[in-house]
Amino acid sequence: MTSRTKEQIILKVPGNYEKTFKILHFRKFTSKNKRMAIIVEEVLSKQIYFFIKGADEVILDLTENSVAENAKKIRTTTIEHIDSYAAKGLRTLCMAYRILSQEEYDHWFKTEYRTRQKTLDESIIDTAYDSLENSNQVHLLGGTGIEDKLQDKVPKTIDFIRESGIKLW
């Protein structure tokens, strides 16, 4: 990613050229849904993409019935990598995507998103994205392992809690 604003994302892609994506919608991460999502439109081709990033178990469940070519191989390899990352103590995440036709996006926007948006309740608006995820068209991209360093003084605090007789998991 070379640039990001509230309206667009610019990526440098193989071949050393840039692609610009218009941000259409953004689903915030919550501890309840354990994932975030973004709907973007590639400016030149007008192709619409729905990208999801989140907890590996959530994304793996969403992509379990993917009909993508090599879906089983990608899934098996990703699970191997995720297990390896977790064994090293890394925080794991998976990514997935779905391509939306203009008609599919328009229908979703009118029937799912706009209807829920009228409520002004973030948790109800958030469920509009669920309908895009309930399909065999959500494809696993892969997984990552991220070192999640503790903030300053956390180790001392944990030691203090343990010394006080409180058990931590």
Side-chain angles (χ1 to χ4, degrees):
M1 181 168 38
T2 60
S3 173
R4 178 164 188 218
T5 66
K6 285 186 173 187
E7 294 83 30
Q8 72 177 16
I9 299 170
I10 300 175
L11 300 178
K12 187 170 273 192
V13 297
N16 207 26
Y17 67 96
E18 292 184 338
K19 280 192 173 190
T20 302
F21 295 87
K22 178 181 174 186
I23 299 172
L24 302 176
H25 302 280
F26 183 78
R27 178 187 197 174
K28 295 178 187 173
F29 177 89
T30 68
S31 56
K32 181 181 177 188
N33 67 30
K34 298 182 182 179
R35 61 192 176 277
M36 61 188 299
I38 190 167
I39 301 173
V40 295
E41 179 183 48
E42 203 269 312
V43 173
L44 291 178
S45 70
K46 301 295 184 197
Q47 182 64 64
I48 299 172
Y49 297 91
F50 174 57
F51 291 102
I52 313 162
K53 174 182 82 170
D56 49 270
E57 70 273 5
V58 172
I59 303 302
L60 289 170
D61 282 349
L62 290 175
T63 59
E64 189 170 13
N65 298 315
S66 173
V67 295
E69 186 176 327
N70 296 323
K72 286 186 182 6
K73 182 180 180 192
I74 293 168
R75 183 179 184 78
T76 300
T77 303
T78 299
I79 290 170
E80 288 171 4
H81 289 160
I82 291 296
D83 289 347
S84 171
Y85 301 150
K88 293 175 185 172
L90 301 177
R91 184 165 52 98
T92 58
L93 296 170
C94 283
M95 288 81 53
Y97 80 102
R98 179 175 176 200
I99 295 174
L100 303 174
S101 68
Q102 185 66 55
E103 296 78 23
E104 192 174 18
Y105 169 75
D106 290 342
H107 177 75
W108 172 82
F109 181 75
K110 290 174 188 167
T111 62
E112 299 286 338
Y113 187 79
R114 190 177 279 162
T115 302
R116 288 175 173 83
Q117 193 178 31
K118 292 175 186 173
T119 69
L120 300 178
D121 181 334
E122 283 293 325
S123 63
I124 292 172
I125 296 168
D126 191 51
T127 63
Y129 295 91
D130 294 346
S131 65
L132 293 175
E133 296 170 350
N134 294 327
S135 134
N136 60 2
Q137 299 300 314
V138 178
H139 310 302
L140 182 64
L141 286 167
T144 64
I146 303 164
E147 186 176 10
D148 217 358
K149 290 186 177 182
L150 296 175
Q151 293 179 354
D152 291 340
K153 300 183 183 178
V154 169
K156 282 185 179 180
T157 304
I158 290 172
D159 287 342
F160 177 77
I161 291 171
R162 284 190 176 131
E163 289 169 7
S164 299
I166 298 172
K167 295 182 181 184
L168 294 175
W169 287 270

